[in-house]
PDB file of all heavy atoms in Angstrom:
ATOM      1  N   PRO A 167     185.465 -62.399 148.205  1.00 98.00           N
ATOM      2  CA  PRO A 167     185.477 -62.788 149.594  1.00 98.00           C
ATOM      3  C   PRO A 167     186.121 -64.149 149.864  1.00 98.00           C
ATOM      4  O   PRO A 167     186.240 -64.568 150.977  1.00 98.00           O
ATOM      5  CB  PRO A 167     183.988 -62.872 149.945  1.00 98.00           C
ATOM      6  CG  PRO A 167     183.356 -63.399 148.683  1.00 98.00           C
ATOM      7  CD  PRO A 167     184.186 -62.770 147.547  1.00 98.00           C
ATOM      8  N   ASP A 168     186.570 -64.870 148.780  1.00 98.00           N
ATOM      9  CA  ASP A 168     187.043 -66.237 148.991  1.00 98.00           C
ATOM     10  C   ASP A 168     188.474 -66.248 149.497  1.00 98.00           C
ATOM     11  O   ASP A 168     189.405 -65.886 148.774  1.00 98.00           O
ATOM     12  CB  ASP A 168     186.949 -67.025 147.673  1.00 98.00           C
ATOM     13  CG  ASP A 168     187.134 -68.519 147.897  1.00 98.00           C
ATOM     14  OD1 ASP A 168     188.249 -68.895 148.289  1.00 98.00           O
ATOM     15  OD2 ASP A 168     186.165 -69.287 147.719  1.00 98.00           O
ATOM     16  N   GLU A 169     188.655 -66.669 150.731  1.00 98.00           N
ATOM     17  CA  GLU A 169     189.978 -66.669 151.357  1.00 98.00           C
ATOM     18  C   GLU A 169     190.957 -67.572 150.604  1.00 98.00           C
ATOM     19  O   GLU A 169     192.122 -67.227 150.398  1.00 98.00           O
ATOM     20  CB  GLU A 169     189.866 -67.106 152.811  1.00 98.00           C
ATOM     21  CG  GLU A 169     191.208 -67.186 153.539  1.00 98.00           C
ATOM     22  CD  GLU A 169     191.084 -67.733 154.938  1.00 98.00           C
ATOM     23  OE1 GLU A 169     190.096 -68.429 155.233  1.00 98.00           O
ATOM     24  OE2 GLU A 169     192.009 -67.467 155.729  1.00 98.00           O
ATOM     25  N   TYR A 170     190.457 -68.754 150.189  1.00 97.00           N
ATOM     26  CA  TYR A 170     191.368 -69.712 149.537  1.00 97.00           C
ATOM     27  C   TYR A 170     191.742 -69.278 148.140  1.00 97.00           C
ATOM     28  O   TYR A 170     192.892 -69.465 147.696  1.00 97.00           O
ATOM     29  CB  TYR A 170     190.744 -71.079 149.553  1.00 97.00           C
ATOM     30  CG  TYR A 170     190.510 -71.637 150.926  1.00 97.00           C
ATOM     31  CD1 TYR A 170     189.355 -72.434 151.211  1.00 97.00           C
ATOM     32  CD2 TYR A 170     191.378 -71.378 151.968  1.00 97.00           C
ATOM     33  CE1 TYR A 170     189.155 -72.946 152.489  1.00 97.00           C
ATOM     34  CE2 TYR A 170     191.167 -71.904 153.255  1.00 97.00           C
ATOM     35  CZ  TYR A 170     190.069 -72.681 153.485  1.00 97.00           C
ATOM     36  OH  TYR A 170     189.849 -73.193 154.745  1.00 97.00           O
ATOM     37  N   LEU A 171     190.804 -68.688 147.402  1.00 97.00           N
ATOM     38  CA  LEU A 171     191.156 -68.151 146.107  1.00 97.00           C
ATOM     39  C   LEU A 171     192.203 -67.049 146.261  1.00 97.00           C
ATOM     40  O   LEU A 171     193.159 -66.985 145.490  1.00 97.00           O
ATOM     41  CB  LEU A 171     189.926 -67.616 145.393  1.00 97.00           C
ATOM     42  CG  LEU A 171     190.175 -66.907 144.046  1.00 97.00           C
ATOM     43  CD1 LEU A 171     190.758 -67.887 143.037  1.00 97.00           C
ATOM     44  CD2 LEU A 171     188.912 -66.273 143.491  1.00 97.00           C
ATOM     45  N   ALA A 172     192.000 -66.190 147.245  1.00 98.00           N
ATOM     46  CA  ALA A 172     192.970 -65.122 147.486  1.00 98.00           C
ATOM     47  C   ALA A 172     194.348 -65.669 147.805  1.00 98.00           C
ATOM     48  O   ALA A 172     195.370 -65.157 147.314  1.00 98.00           O
ATOM     49  CB  ALA A 172     192.489 -64.213 148.631  1.00 98.00           C
ATOM     50  N   LYS A 173     194.410 -66.728 148.627  1.00 97.00           N
ATOM     51  CA  LYS A 173     195.705 -67.314 148.968  1.00 97.00           C
ATOM     52  C   LYS A 173     196.361 -67.960 147.738  1.00 97.00           C
ATOM     53  O   LYS A 173     197.583 -67.886 147.560  1.00 97.00           O
ATOM     54  CB  LYS A 173     195.503 -68.375 150.072  1.00 97.00           C
ATOM     55  CG  LYS A 173     195.233 -67.778 151.437  1.00 97.00           C
ATOM     56  CD  LYS A 173     195.184 -68.840 152.518  1.00 97.00           C
ATOM     57  CE  LYS A 173     195.021 -68.192 153.902  1.00 97.00           C
ATOM     58  NZ  LYS A 173     195.025 -69.195 154.989  1.00 97.00           N
ATOM     59  N   TYR A 174     195.536 -68.545 146.865  1.00 97.00           N
ATOM     60  CA  TYR A 174     196.075 -69.111 145.647  1.00 97.00           C
ATOM     61  C   TYR A 174     196.624 -68.018 144.743  1.00 97.00           C
ATOM     62  O   TYR A 174     197.736 -68.141 144.201  1.00 97.00           O
ATOM     63  CB  TYR A 174     195.004 -69.933 144.915  1.00 97.00           C
ATOM     64  CG  TYR A 174     195.480 -70.472 143.583  1.00 97.00           C
ATOM     65  CD1 TYR A 174     196.368 -71.531 143.531  1.00 97.00           C
ATOM     66  CD2 TYR A 174     195.047 -69.877 142.389  1.00 97.00           C
ATOM     67  CE1 TYR A 174     196.810 -72.020 142.314  1.00 97.00           C
ATOM     68  CE2 TYR A 174     195.484 -70.352 141.159  1.00 97.00           C
ATOM     69  CZ  TYR A 174     196.377 -71.425 141.138  1.00 97.00           C
ATOM     70  OH  TYR A 174     196.823 -71.885 139.928  1.00 97.00           O
ATOM     71  N   VAL A 175     195.875 -66.945 144.585  1.00 97.00           N
ATOM     72  CA  VAL A 175     196.331 -65.810 143.763  1.00 97.00           C
ATOM     73  C   VAL A 175     197.647 -65.268 144.304  1.00 97.00           C
ATOM     74  O   VAL A 175     198.567 -64.922 143.537  1.00 97.00           O
ATOM     75  CB  VAL A 175     195.259 -64.686 143.715  1.00 97.00           C
ATOM     76  CG1 VAL A 175     195.801 -63.436 143.087  1.00 97.00           C
ATOM     77  CG2 VAL A 175     194.031 -65.193 142.954  1.00 97.00           C
ATOM     78  N   ALA A 176     197.776 -65.221 145.635  1.00 97.00           N
ATOM     79  CA  ALA A 176     199.020 -64.704 146.248  1.00 97.00           C
ATOM     80  C   ALA A 176     200.231 -65.500 145.856  1.00 97.00           C
ATOM     81  O   ALA A 176     201.348 -64.963 145.838  1.00 97.00           O
ATOM     82  CB  ALA A 176     198.847 -64.651 147.771  1.00 97.00           C
ATOM     83  N   THR A 177     200.045 -66.805 145.544  1.00 96.00           N
ATOM     84  CA  THR A 177     201.182 -67.630 145.142  1.00 96.00           C
ATOM     85  C   THR A 177     201.559 -67.405 143.673  1.00 96.00           C
ATOM     86  O   THR A 177     202.617 -67.887 143.225  1.00 96.00           O
ATOM     87  CB  THR A 177     200.880 -69.138 145.347  1.00 96.00           C
ATOM     88  OG1 THR A 177     199.845 -69.543 144.404  1.00 96.00           O
ATOM     89  CG2 THR A 177     200.425 -69.411 146.769  1.00 96.00           C
ATOM     90  N   GLN A 178     200.699 -66.697 142.948  1.00 96.00           N
ATOM     91  CA  GLN A 178     200.909 -66.514 141.501  1.00 96.00           C
ATOM     92  C   GLN A 178     201.337 -65.087 141.129  1.00 96.00           C
ATOM     93  O   GLN A 178     201.510 -64.779 139.959  1.00 96.00           O
ATOM     94  CB  GLN A 178     199.608 -66.859 140.737  1.00 96.00           C
ATOM     95  CG  GLN A 178     199.014 -68.201 141.084  1.00 96.00           C
ATOM     96  CD  GLN A 178     199.908 -69.345 140.668  1.00 96.00           C
ATOM     97  OE1 GLN A 178     200.340 -69.437 139.522  1.00 96.00           O
ATOM     98  NE2 GLN A 178     200.208 -70.227 141.613  1.00 96.00           N
ATOM     99  N   THR A 179     201.493 -64.203 142.114  1.00 97.00           N
ATOM    100  CA  THR A 179     201.782 -62.791 141.836  1.00 97.00           C
ATOM    101  C   THR A 179     202.652 -62.215 142.957  1.00 97.00           C
ATOM    102  O   THR A 179     202.689 -62.747 144.072  1.00 97.00           O
ATOM    103  CB  THR A 179     200.501 -61.978 141.702  1.00 97.00           C
ATOM    104  OG1 THR A 179     200.813 -60.608 141.405  1.00 97.00           O
ATOM    105  CG2 THR A 179     199.660 -62.015 142.955  1.00 97.00           C
ATOM    106  N   ASP A 180     203.333 -61.111 142.640  1.00 97.00           N
ATOM    107  CA  ASP A 180     204.122 -60.394 143.647  1.00 97.00           C
ATOM    108  C   ASP A 180     203.277 -59.348 144.369  1.00 97.00           C
ATOM    109  O   ASP A 180     203.745 -58.745 145.332  1.00 97.00           O
ATOM    110  CB  ASP A 180     205.317 -59.691 142.968  1.00 97.00           C
ATOM    111  CG  ASP A 180     206.337 -60.687 142.442  1.00 97.00           C
ATOM    112  OD1 ASP A 180     206.457 -61.781 143.025  1.00 97.00           O
ATOM    113  OD2 ASP A 180     207.013 -60.353 141.440  1.00 97.00           O
ATOM    114  N   VAL A 181     202.049 -59.139 143.941  1.00 98.00           N
ATOM    115  CA  VAL A 181     201.155 -58.195 144.611  1.00 98.00           C
ATOM    116  C   VAL A 181     200.760 -58.745 145.974  1.00 98.00           C
ATOM    117  O   VAL A 181     200.430 -59.938 146.099  1.00 98.00           O
ATOM    118  CB  VAL A 181     199.904 -57.917 143.747  1.00 98.00           C
ATOM    119  CG1 VAL A 181     198.950 -56.943 144.448  1.00 98.00           C
ATOM    120  CG2 VAL A 181     200.281 -57.375 142.374  1.00 98.00           C
ATOM    121  N   LYS A 182     200.760 -57.889 146.997  1.00 98.00           N
ATOM    122  CA  LYS A 182     200.300 -58.304 148.331  1.00 98.00           C
ATOM    123  C   LYS A 182     198.770 -58.426 148.295  1.00 98.00           C
ATOM    124  O   LYS A 182     198.079 -57.483 147.917  1.00 98.00           O
ATOM    125  CB  LYS A 182     200.738 -57.317 149.390  1.00 98.00           C
ATOM    126  CG  LYS A 182     200.300 -57.695 150.801  1.00 98.00           C
ATOM    127  CD  LYS A 182     200.720 -56.660 151.812  1.00 98.00           C
ATOM    128  CE  LYS A 182     200.264 -57.039 153.223  1.00 98.00           C
ATOM    129  NZ  LYS A 182     200.652 -56.028 154.228  1.00 98.00           N
ATOM    130  N   ILE A 183     198.265 -59.585 148.693  1.00 98.00           N
ATOM    131  CA  ILE A 183     196.839 -59.838 148.627  1.00 98.00           C
ATOM    132  C   ILE A 183     196.246 -59.813 150.033  1.00 98.00           C
ATOM    133  O   ILE A 183     196.653 -60.571 150.927  1.00 98.00           O
ATOM    134  CB  ILE A 183     196.538 -61.203 147.992  1.00 98.00           C
ATOM    135  CG1 ILE A 183     197.181 -61.321 146.600  1.00 98.00           C
ATOM    136  CG2 ILE A 183     195.037 -61.455 147.898  1.00 98.00           C
ATOM    137  CD1 ILE A 183     196.660 -60.336 145.593  1.00 98.00           C
ATOM    138  N   LEU A 184     195.272 -58.951 150.223  1.00 98.00           N
ATOM    139  CA  LEU A 184     194.489 -58.942 151.457  1.00 98.00           C
ATOM    140  C   LEU A 184     193.189 -59.680 151.201  1.00 98.00           C
ATOM    141  O   LEU A 184     192.576 -59.530 150.136  1.00 98.00           O
ATOM    142  CB  LEU A 184     194.191 -57.483 151.900  1.00 98.00           C
ATOM    143  CG  LEU A 184     195.407 -56.582 152.069  1.00 98.00           C
ATOM    144  CD1 LEU A 184     194.947 -55.165 152.447  1.00 98.00           C
ATOM    145  CD2 LEU A 184     196.346 -57.153 153.134  1.00 98.00           C
ATOM    146  N   SER A 185     192.756 -60.500 152.158  1.00 97.00           N
ATOM    147  CA  SER A 185     191.617 -61.384 151.885  1.00 97.00           C
ATOM    148  C   SER A 185     190.508 -61.239 152.950  1.00 97.00           C
ATOM    149  O   SER A 185     190.620 -60.490 153.927  1.00 97.00           O
ATOM    150  CB  SER A 185     192.104 -62.838 151.857  1.00 97.00           C
ATOM    151  OG  SER A 185     192.636 -63.241 153.102  1.00 97.00           O
ATOM    152  N   TRP A 186     189.453 -61.968 152.705  1.00 98.00           N
ATOM    153  CA  TRP A 186     188.269 -62.066 153.581  1.00 98.00           C
ATOM    154  C   TRP A 186     188.077 -63.533 153.879  1.00 98.00           C
ATOM    155  O   TRP A 186     188.480 -64.387 153.082  1.00 98.00           O
ATOM    156  CB  TRP A 186     187.060 -61.485 152.838  1.00 98.00           C
ATOM    157  CG  TRP A 186     185.763 -61.450 153.562  1.00 98.00           C
ATOM    158  CD1 TRP A 186     184.738 -62.328 153.468  1.00 98.00           C
ATOM    159  CD2 TRP A 186     185.341 -60.448 154.496  1.00 98.00           C
ATOM    160  NE1 TRP A 186     183.688 -61.963 154.264  1.00 98.00           N
ATOM    161  CE2 TRP A 186     184.020 -60.813 154.919  1.00 98.00           C
ATOM    162  CE3 TRP A 186     185.922 -59.301 155.011  1.00 98.00           C
ATOM    163  CZ2 TRP A 186     183.315 -60.033 155.847  1.00 98.00           C
ATOM    164  CZ3 TRP A 186     185.214 -58.527 155.922  1.00 98.00           C
ATOM    165  CH2 TRP A 186     183.916 -58.893 156.312  1.00 98.00           C
ATOM    166  N   LYS A 187     187.448 -63.858 154.979  1.00 97.00           N
ATOM    167  CA  LYS A 187     187.308 -65.277 155.353  1.00 97.00           C
ATOM    168  C   LYS A 187     186.014 -65.916 154.849  1.00 97.00           C
ATOM    169  O   LYS A 187     185.269 -66.544 155.623  1.00 97.00           O
ATOM    170  CB  LYS A 187     187.430 -65.444 156.886  1.00 97.00           C
ATOM    171  CG  LYS A 187     188.885 -65.298 157.362  1.00 97.00           C
ATOM    172  CD  LYS A 187     189.029 -65.786 158.758  1.00 97.00           C
ATOM    173  CE  LYS A 187     190.495 -65.743 159.226  1.00 97.00           C
ATOM    174  NZ  LYS A 187     191.338 -66.686 158.475  1.00 97.00           N
ATOM    175  N   GLY A 188     185.746 -65.733 153.581  1.00 97.00           N
ATOM    176  CA  GLY A 188     184.600 -66.435 152.978  1.00 97.00           C
ATOM    177  C   GLY A 188     185.065 -67.760 152.346  1.00 97.00           C
ATOM    178  O   GLY A 188     186.191 -67.858 151.862  1.00 97.00           O
ATOM    179  N   HIS A 189     184.194 -68.764 152.403  1.00 97.00           N
ATOM    180  CA  HIS A 189     184.510 -70.072 151.846  1.00 97.00           C
ATOM    181  C   HIS A 189     183.315 -70.672 151.114  1.00 97.00           C
ATOM    182  O   HIS A 189     182.181 -70.412 151.474  1.00 97.00           O
ATOM    183  CB  HIS A 189     184.965 -71.054 152.944  1.00 97.00           C
ATOM    184  CG  HIS A 189     186.126 -70.594 153.752  1.00 97.00           C
ATOM    185  ND1 HIS A 189     186.175 -70.654 155.129  1.00 97.00           N
ATOM    186  CD2 HIS A 189     187.311 -70.047 153.364  1.00 97.00           C
ATOM    187  CE1 HIS A 189     187.313 -70.190 155.555  1.00 97.00           C
ATOM    188  NE2 HIS A 189     188.031 -69.787 154.521  1.00 97.00           N
ATOM    189  N   CYS A 190     183.619 -71.487 150.137  1.00 96.00           N
ATOM    190  CA  CYS A 190     182.598 -72.331 149.488  1.00 96.00           C
ATOM    191  C   CYS A 190     182.414 -73.588 150.322  1.00 96.00           C
ATOM    192  O   CYS A 190     183.407 -74.306 150.596  1.00 96.00           O
ATOM    193  CB  CYS A 190     183.030 -72.679 148.059  1.00 96.00           C
ATOM    194  SG  CYS A 190     182.059 -74.025 147.349  1.00 96.00           S
ATOM    195  N   GLU A 191     181.195 -73.903 150.720  1.00 95.00           N
ATOM    196  CA  GLU A 191     180.978 -75.038 151.599  1.00 95.00           C
ATOM    197  C   GLU A 191     181.269 -76.367 150.949  1.00 95.00           C
ATOM    198  O   GLU A 191     181.433 -77.393 151.632  1.00 95.00           O
ATOM    199  CB  GLU A 191     179.550 -75.009 152.146  1.00 95.00           C
ATOM    200  CG  GLU A 191     178.467 -75.208 151.108  1.00 95.00           C
ATOM    201  CD  GLU A 191     177.075 -75.026 151.708  1.00 95.00           C
ATOM    202  OE1 GLU A 191     176.567 -75.977 152.321  1.00 95.00           O
ATOM    203  OE2 GLU A 191     176.519 -73.909 151.553  1.00 95.00           O
ATOM    204  N   VAL A 192     181.308 -76.414 149.628  1.00 95.00           N
ATOM    205  CA  VAL A 192     181.679 -77.649 148.929  1.00 95.00           C
ATOM    206  C   VAL A 192     183.182 -77.809 148.921  1.00 95.00           C
ATOM    207  O   VAL A 192     183.733 -78.822 149.365  1.00 95.00           O
ATOM    208  CB  VAL A 192     181.156 -77.652 147.464  1.00 95.00           C
ATOM    209  CG1 VAL A 192     181.695 -78.857 146.717  1.00 95.00           C
ATOM    210  CG2 VAL A 192     179.627 -77.699 147.471  1.00 95.00           C
ATOM    211  N   HIS A 193     183.904 -76.806 148.444  1.00 96.00           N
ATOM    212  CA  HIS A 193     185.357 -76.926 148.291  1.00 96.00           C
ATOM    213  C   HIS A 193     186.099 -76.969 149.612  1.00 96.00           C
ATOM    214  O   HIS A 193     187.151 -77.633 149.714  1.00 96.00           O
ATOM    215  CB  HIS A 193     185.887 -75.778 147.430  1.00 96.00           C
ATOM    216  CG  HIS A 193     185.393 -75.827 146.005  1.00 96.00           C
ATOM    217  ND1 HIS A 193     184.376 -75.032 145.530  1.00 96.00           N
ATOM    218  CD2 HIS A 193     185.775 -76.625 144.969  1.00 96.00           C
ATOM    219  CE1 HIS A 193     184.159 -75.333 144.278  1.00 96.00           C
ATOM    220  NE2 HIS A 193     185.001 -76.292 143.881  1.00 96.00           N
ATOM    221  N   GLU A 194     185.589 -76.312 150.645  1.00 96.00           N
ATOM    222  CA  GLU A 194     186.326 -76.293 151.901  1.00 96.00           C
ATOM    223  C   GLU A 194     186.251 -77.638 152.638  1.00 96.00           C
ATOM    224  O   GLU A 194     187.026 -77.868 153.564  1.00 96.00           O
ATOM    225  CB  GLU A 194     185.806 -75.187 152.810  1.00 96.00           C
ATOM    226  CG  GLU A 194     184.432 -75.408 153.405  1.00 96.00           C
ATOM    227  CD  GLU A 194     184.043 -74.325 154.413  1.00 96.00           C
ATOM    228  OE1 GLU A 194     184.918 -73.605 154.877  1.00 96.00           O
ATOM    229  OE2 GLU A 194     182.825 -74.232 154.732  1.00 96.00           O
ATOM    230  N   ARG A 195     185.370 -78.540 152.209  1.00 95.00           N
ATOM    231  CA  ARG A 195     185.250 -79.829 152.891  1.00 95.00           C
ATOM    232  C   ARG A 195     186.342 -80.807 152.492  1.00 95.00           C
ATOM    233  O   ARG A 195     186.573 -81.788 153.197  1.00 95.00           O
ATOM    234  CB  ARG A 195     183.868 -80.458 152.611  1.00 95.00           C
ATOM    235  CG  ARG A 195     182.717 -79.739 153.266  1.00 95.00           C
ATOM    236  CD  ARG A 195     181.505 -80.665 153.424  1.00 95.00           C
ATOM    237  NE  ARG A 195     181.027 -81.190 152.180  1.00 95.00           N
ATOM    238  CZ  ARG A 195     180.009 -80.673 151.473  1.00 95.00           C
ATOM    239  NH1 ARG A 195     179.434 -79.561 151.877  1.00 95.00           N
ATOM    240  NH2 ARG A 195     179.617 -81.239 150.360  1.00 95.00           N
ATOM    241  N   PHE A 196     187.000 -80.574 151.386  1.00 96.00           N
ATOM    242  CA  PHE A 196     188.048 -81.482 150.940  1.00 96.00           C
ATOM    243  C   PHE A 196     189.286 -81.339 151.842  1.00 96.00           C
ATOM    244  O   PHE A 196     189.612 -80.235 152.303  1.00 96.00           O
ATOM    245  CB  PHE A 196     188.455 -81.214 149.489  1.00 96.00           C
ATOM    246  CG  PHE A 196     187.388 -81.569 148.496  1.00 96.00           C
ATOM    247  CD1 PHE A 196     186.561 -80.589 147.965  1.00 96.00           C
ATOM    248  CD2 PHE A 196     187.228 -82.868 148.069  1.00 96.00           C
ATOM    249  CE1 PHE A 196     185.587 -80.900 147.041  1.00 96.00           C
ATOM    250  CE2 PHE A 196     186.248 -83.208 147.139  1.00 96.00           C
ATOM    251  CZ  PHE A 196     185.436 -82.223 146.617  1.00 96.00           C
ATOM    252  N   THR A 197     190.001 -82.451 152.057  1.00 96.00           N
ATOM    253  CA  THR A 197     191.228 -82.401 152.849  1.00 96.00           C
ATOM    254  C   THR A 197     192.356 -83.078 152.071  1.00 96.00           C
ATOM    255  O   THR A 197     192.127 -83.943 151.222  1.00 96.00           O
ATOM    256  CB  THR A 197     191.065 -83.142 154.199  1.00 96.00           C
ATOM    257  OG1 THR A 197     190.900 -84.537 153.946  1.00 96.00           O
ATOM    258  CG2 THR A 197     189.864 -82.605 154.972  1.00 96.00           C
ATOM    259  N   ALA A 198     193.578 -82.702 152.421  1.00 97.00           N
ATOM    260  CA  ALA A 198     194.756 -83.291 151.773  1.00 97.00           C
ATOM    261  C   ALA A 198     194.847 -84.764 152.096  1.00 97.00           C
ATOM    262  O   ALA A 198     195.161 -85.608 151.232  1.00 97.00           O
ATOM    263  CB  ALA A 198     195.995 -82.553 152.194  1.00 97.00           C
ATOM    264  N   ASP A 199     194.587 -85.145 153.364  1.00 96.00           N
ATOM    265  CA  ASP A 199     194.677 -86.550 153.750  1.00 96.00           C
ATOM    266  C   ASP A 199     193.713 -87.404 152.957  1.00 96.00           C
ATOM    267  O   ASP A 199     194.049 -88.521 152.522  1.00 96.00           O
ATOM    268  CB  ASP A 199     194.386 -86.690 155.247  1.00 96.00           C
ATOM    269  CG  ASP A 199     195.498 -86.156 156.096  1.00 96.00           C
ATOM    270  OD1 ASP A 199     196.626 -85.967 155.576  1.00 96.00           O
ATOM    271  OD2 ASP A 199     195.289 -85.944 157.310  1.00 96.00           O
ATOM    272  N   GLU A 200     192.487 -86.896 152.743  1.00 95.00           N
ATOM    273  CA  GLU A 200     191.485 -87.611 151.960  1.00 95.00           C
ATOM    274  C   GLU A 200     191.983 -87.864 150.533  1.00 95.00           C
ATOM    275  O   GLU A 200     191.903 -88.984 150.013  1.00 95.00           O
ATOM    276  CB  GLU A 200     190.197 -86.783 151.942  1.00 95.00           C
ATOM    277  CG  GLU A 200     189.140 -87.230 150.967  1.00 95.00           C
ATOM    278  CD  GLU A 200     188.038 -86.223 150.793  1.00 95.00           C
ATOM    279  OE1 GLU A 200     188.230 -85.043 151.179  1.00 95.00           O
ATOM    280  OE2 GLU A 200     186.983 -86.605 150.255  1.00 95.00           O
ATOM    281  N   LEU A 201     192.571 -86.835 149.927  1.00 96.00           N
ATOM    282  CA  LEU A 201     193.003 -86.973 148.549  1.00 96.00           C
ATOM    283  C   LEU A 201     194.229 -87.886 148.420  1.00 96.00           C
ATOM    284  O   LEU A 201     194.338 -88.638 147.465  1.00 96.00           O
ATOM    285  CB  LEU A 201     193.314 -85.598 147.963  1.00 96.00           C
ATOM    286  CG  LEU A 201     192.102 -84.632 147.937  1.00 96.00           C
ATOM    287  CD1 LEU A 201     192.499 -83.307 147.334  1.00 96.00           C
ATOM    288  CD2 LEU A 201     190.934 -85.227 147.162  1.00 96.00           C
ATOM    289  N   LEU A 202     195.138 -87.798 149.385  1.00 96.00           N
ATOM    290  CA  LEU A 202     196.288 -88.697 149.366  1.00 96.00           C
ATOM    291  C   LEU A 202     195.862 -90.150 149.529  1.00 96.00           C
ATOM    292  O   LEU A 202     196.468 -91.038 148.921  1.00 96.00           O
ATOM    293  CB  LEU A 202     197.262 -88.291 150.476  1.00 96.00           C
ATOM    294  CG  LEU A 202     198.021 -86.964 150.243  1.00 96.00           C
ATOM    295  CD1 LEU A 202     198.801 -86.556 151.472  1.00 96.00           C
ATOM    296  CD2 LEU A 202     198.933 -87.049 149.023  1.00 96.00           C
ATOM    297  N   ALA A 203     194.826 -90.383 150.309  1.00 97.00           N
ATOM    298  CA  ALA A 203     194.305 -91.733 150.448  1.00 97.00           C
ATOM    299  C   ALA A 203     193.734 -92.245 149.137  1.00 97.00           C
ATOM    300  O   ALA A 203     193.923 -93.422 148.759  1.00 97.00           O
ATOM    301  CB  ALA A 203     193.238 -91.783 151.550  1.00 97.00           C
ATOM    302  N   TYR A 204     193.040 -91.380 148.405  1.00 96.00           N
ATOM    303  CA  TYR A 204     192.543 -91.752 147.078  1.00 96.00           C
ATOM    304  C   TYR A 204     193.707 -92.084 146.140  1.00 96.00           C
ATOM    305  O   TYR A 204     193.639 -93.024 145.352  1.00 96.00           O
ATOM    306  CB  TYR A 204     191.717 -90.627 146.482  1.00 96.00           C
ATOM    307  CG  TYR A 204     190.266 -90.619 146.924  1.00 96.00           C
ATOM    308  CD1 TYR A 204     189.786 -89.626 147.779  1.00 96.00           C
ATOM    309  CD2 TYR A 204     189.380 -91.588 146.467  1.00 96.00           C
ATOM    310  CE1 TYR A 204     188.455 -89.625 148.181  1.00 96.00           C
ATOM    311  CE2 TYR A 204     188.052 -91.576 146.864  1.00 96.00           C
ATOM    312  CZ  TYR A 204     187.597 -90.589 147.725  1.00 96.00           C
ATOM    313  OH  TYR A 204     186.291 -90.592 148.132  1.00 96.00           O
TER     314      TYR A 204
END
């Protein structure tokens, strides 16, 4: 059910990936801006 894992897998294969909008509440809180600031 992890939407972000599915999107990552889609970048690693030619198979068309259909996903679900499930998220981990820990991992989804991170942002690119936050990490670039670090």
Side-chain angles (χ1 to χ4, degrees):
D168 193 293
E169 179 185 21
Y170 297 144
L171 175 63
K173 287 185 175 182
Y174 176 73
V175 170
T177 68
Q178 308 296 306
T179 181
D180 292 330
V181 178
K182 181 181 179 181
I183 305 296
L184 304 178
S185 63
W186 182 260
K187 285 195 175 294
H189 302 134
C190 165
E191 65 186 279
V192 172
H193 293 102
E194 71 174 344
R195 290 203 300 264
F196 291 99
T197 68
D199 288 344
E200 169 192 16
L201 299 180
L202 289 172
Y204 276 109

